[in-house]
Amino acid sequence: MKDFKKCKCGMFIHHILPEAHYADGTQPQTIDEMADAFDAEGFADSLQRMGIEYIIFTAWHFAVQPLYPSAVSEKWRPGNCPKRDLLGDIIESVKNRGILVLFYTHPRDGHDFSEDDKEKTGWGRGTHETDNQQPNLDNFNYERWNEYMLELYEELADRYADRLTGFYTDSNGPKDPADYLHPHKDHQVINYLRIRNIMKSRNPALIAIQNYYGNVYTNDYGNSETYAEYISSVFKHKDAAKWHCSKTVATTLMPFSTGWMHAKIRNEESVVNTSLEDILQYTLFNGSCSVCGNVLFASGPYVEGNLWSTGVEEYLSALRMELSRYNKSFMDACPSKSYPTLAGSTLEQNQYRFWMTGEDEKYEYLHCVKLPEDGVLEWGCSEDGIRLIKPEAVTGNITITGYMQTESGYRMTYIGTPDRVDTVIRFTREGTSAPCGYEWIANTDKRIAYFGNWCYTSVWVYDEKNTANGCYEREVHYSNREESFLYLAFEGSIVELYGVLDKDMGAADVYIDGIYCATVNQQSVERKAHEMCFRSIDLYGGKHILQIYTKDDRMFTVDAIKIIY
């Protein structure tokens, strides 16, 4: 079974009663009918044909209807689970094909309940006055709701934890920028730490994932589910070189017009709305940055289980065939530490090239989506001291005519025709890899403490004017109030601050170890993202404290902090 961290293609599958359809457009009337109609073996076969390496499948979502015979559900809300153990059948069928299984859950979805069930479970009658997905906190009973939900997680863990790769706990997410620092009442609704402890007590190796809104509560990784919306809007620009890569556990893509599930009726019209070449290019590029999981396609089968919206299986099967051309240089490789791809950057910003390290670290692979027309390729030295020797073209019809190491890096000349998508050049790695000499600290890192008035924003949809556009991981913290400040304890020799420069930006004072260092002014005639706006003198290692105090009511941004050892 493949290690989840090395997976490149997954499928996020929502399978819930009110949205589920048969291929002919009719709908199941009961949860039992929906579960009984599902062909788990045919489902697993189709995933295998599409090259899917892992799935995140709904254990429960709408109205908290677990897809297995749940004694807990019957105790609290009779009639909201099937007699068939659909989840168990899916695990068995899918894992037999070498595909990893993670379960999606939603621990705070009581807004879909009947008023009586809201009362029984502690959600309370009614809804929040400004958001119908939130409980009315005047009526909400925290202890009772958590008793109900945690009993469900106990049951889920007892039944399946030893057969799963991981679990996903959803959050409703923030509704305005300030809520990124103070999650939208999630902490007042569910005890995420108890969920983690329950699941991991049954299987400590389980990977805990959550949809990412600048925090992951007590989970291991975040999933950029909003990236589906972002990428969908970027698709309109038809330039995959401008799509930002993401470091999160899995970047959710929607190259289909059907959203999270399937078309309401299966007809001859294809739901594919994005070119295969663009998705292939992005899948390859994003894989040079993602910590694990890489891309996660959002779709779902019809109630029959073995049928998908027109075009979905054919499209992903074609993608699997294309990716098979890059088995050693991509599918079995890992993001390079010698030439790392910066989270939030684009293929265009990386000069249409990126790096992967082979499975046994014997080879380094240079992927070139676009080669220079003059036949000369140059790049810098590795960041870990590894030397590159013996270049050899793996894809494309090119001949390497010259190769040499220079003072600043390497120079290679070539003739011939590049690959139609991605020309890969393999190098033998020579020498011993040294520890990386620096660390990027994202603005959402829990080591940074924010005080005063700070907000968070990320690029949800394609918008050149968004403050976070072009930033590390496409997200940024900002304050437009005087005397807001942040605090970071770090160990290293040099600290750098990265932010967004623009004509309306403000200023802040920087202190290290209580000593004033500089006033940083982020005003600029033209907008510049991910720009270094402060670099300390040599601190000669050791432990230090960085403090930044805003000076006025204009926007001051914190994109990322870089610690150089």
Side-chain angles (χ1 to χ4, degrees), residues 441-442 447-451 454 485-492 494-498 508-518 520 533-537 539 542-549 556 558 560-563:
I441 298 179
R447 287 172 288 181
I448 302 177
Y450 293 94
F451 301 90
W454 290 90
F485 68 98
L486 67 80
Y487 173 103
L488 170 68
F490 69 94
E491 190 168 353
I494 294 174
V495 59
E496 296 175 346
L497 171 67
Y498 288 74
D509 289 334
V510 178
Y511 292 78
I512 296 178
D513 301 331
I515 300 172
Y516 170 79
C517 296
V520 174
C533 46
F534 170 78
R535 178 184 171 93
S536 73
I537 61 172
L539 303 171
K543 297 180 179 179
H544 304 279
I545 294 173
L546 171 70
Q547 293 168 289
I548 299 174
Y549 293 82
F556 186 85
V558 177
I561 295 172
K562 186 177 184 180
I563 308 298

Side-chain angles (χ1 to χ4, degrees), residues 90-246:
I90 285 173
I91 290 177
E92 182 177 358
S93 298
V94 170
K95 289 190 70 175
N96 283 343
R97 273 74 171 178
I99 300 169
L100 304 177
V101 180
L102 298 86
F103 280 162
Y104 166 97
T105 64
H106 205 312
R108 42 158 306 143
D109 222 13
H111 61 278
D112 294 319
F113 291 3
S114 68
E115 291 298 309
D116 285 345
D117 279 354
K118 286 181 181 179
E119 190 74 29
K120 290 178 189 176
T121 58
W123 187 266
R125 294 181 180 272
T127 60
H128 190 272
E129 60 182 6
T130 62
D131 185 351
N132 63 12
Q133 292 191 8
Q134 316 301 330
N136 181 339
L137 293 180
D138 291 336
N139 300 329
F140 180 69
N141 185 321
Y142 178 90
E143 289 75 18
R144 190 160 181 78
W145 176 258
N146 276 261
E147 180 185 359
Y148 162 55
M149 288 306 308
L150 296 177
E151 281 185 19
L152 267 180
Y153 279 99
E154 293 268 7
E155 182 179 60
L156 186 76
D158 288 339
R159 294 179 69 102
Y160 308 114
D162 60 346
R163 292 181 281 167
L164 292 176
T165 294
F167 64 99
Y168 190 113
T169 47
D170 205 338
S171 137
N172 282 50
K175 303 301 177 185
D176 61 67
D179 284 330
Y180 283 99
L181 289 179
H182 307 287
H184 197 83
K185 299 186 175 60
D186 280 341
H187 62 292
Q188 297 178 354
V189 174
I190 192 68
N191 189 331
Y192 280 92
L193 180 59
R194 286 283 293 121
I195 295 173
R196 176 188 178 90
N197 290 344
I198 287 169
M199 298 299 292
K200 294 219 175 195
S201 68
R202 273 56 165 196
N203 181 358
L206 286 176
I207 294 170
I209 306 174
Q210 182 198 317
N211 47 343
Y212 182 69
Y213 291 100
N215 56 68
V216 291
Y217 302 132
T218 57
N219 291 295
D220 301 320
Y221 298 106
N223 156 244
S224 290
E225 68 166 359
T226 55
Y227 210 66
E229 301 168 30
Y230 170 72
I231 287 291
S232 295
S233 61
V234 174
F235 283 162
K236 300 173 185 176
H237 293 258
K238 302 301 179 185
D239 186 356
K242 295 184 183 297
W243 302 351
H244 298 269
C245 66
S246 179

Side-chain angles (χ1 to χ4, degrees), residues 491-531:
E491 190 168 353
S493 296
I494 294 174
V495 59
E496 296 175 346
L497 171 67
Y498 288 74
V500 178
L501 308 186
D502 211 341
K503 60 183 179 179
D504 297 323
M505 294 300 184
D509 289 334
V510 178
Y511 292 78
I512 296 178
D513 301 331
I515 300 172
Y516 170 79
C517 296
T519 295
V520 174
N521 192 329
Q522 293 186 334
Q523 278 195 326
S524 173
V525 175
E526 58 178 320
R527 183 186 185 278
K528 298 177 183 179
H530 194 67
E531 191 76 8

Side-chain angles (χ1 to χ4, degrees), residues 293-319:
N294 195 26
V295 295
L296 182 62
F297 295 100
S299 188
Y302 287 99
V303 173
E304 293 91 337
N306 60 353
L307 293 174
W308 301 76
S309 299
T310 303
V312 170
E313 184 174 333
E314 296 79 4
Y315 182 86
L316 293 179
S317 297
L319 178 65

Side-chain angles (χ1 to χ4, degrees), residues 238-350:
K238 302 301 179 185
D239 186 356
K242 295 184 183 297
W243 302 351
H244 298 269
C245 66
S246 179
K247 194 176 180 179
T248 55
V249 63
T251 300
T252 306
L253 302 182
M254 289 183 175
F256 315 116
S257 61
T258 48
W260 291 101
M261 293 189 64
H262 49 242
K264 291 185 177 180
I265 187 169
R266 194 175 195 273
N267 53 34
E268 296 180 359
E269 185 177 351
S270 174
V271 299
V272 174
N273 62 7
T274 310
S275 77
L276 183 65
E277 183 175 332
D278 283 345
I279 287 295
L280 171 61
Q281 181 176 297
Y282 183 77
T283 299
L284 291 166
F285 172 58
N286 196 69
S288 69
C289 181
S290 176
V291 294
C292 50
N294 195 26
V295 295
L296 182 62
F297 295 100
S299 188
Y302 287 99
V303 173
E304 293 91 337
N306 60 353
L307 293 174
W308 301 76
S309 299
T310 303
V312 170
E313 184 174 333
E314 296 79 4
Y315 182 86
L316 293 179
S317 297
L319 178 65
R320 176 183 64 83
M321 292 299 296
E322 288 287 349
L323 288 173
S324 68
R325 300 173 57 223
Y326 309 97
N327 276 340
K328 291 187 177 180
S329 65
F330 179 73
M331 295 300 290
D332 296 330
C334 298
S336 175
K337 295 180 180 178
S338 302
Y339 293 92
T341 298
L342 185 70
S345 64
T346 67
L347 189 56
E348 183 180 60
Q349 291 168 342
N350 285 276

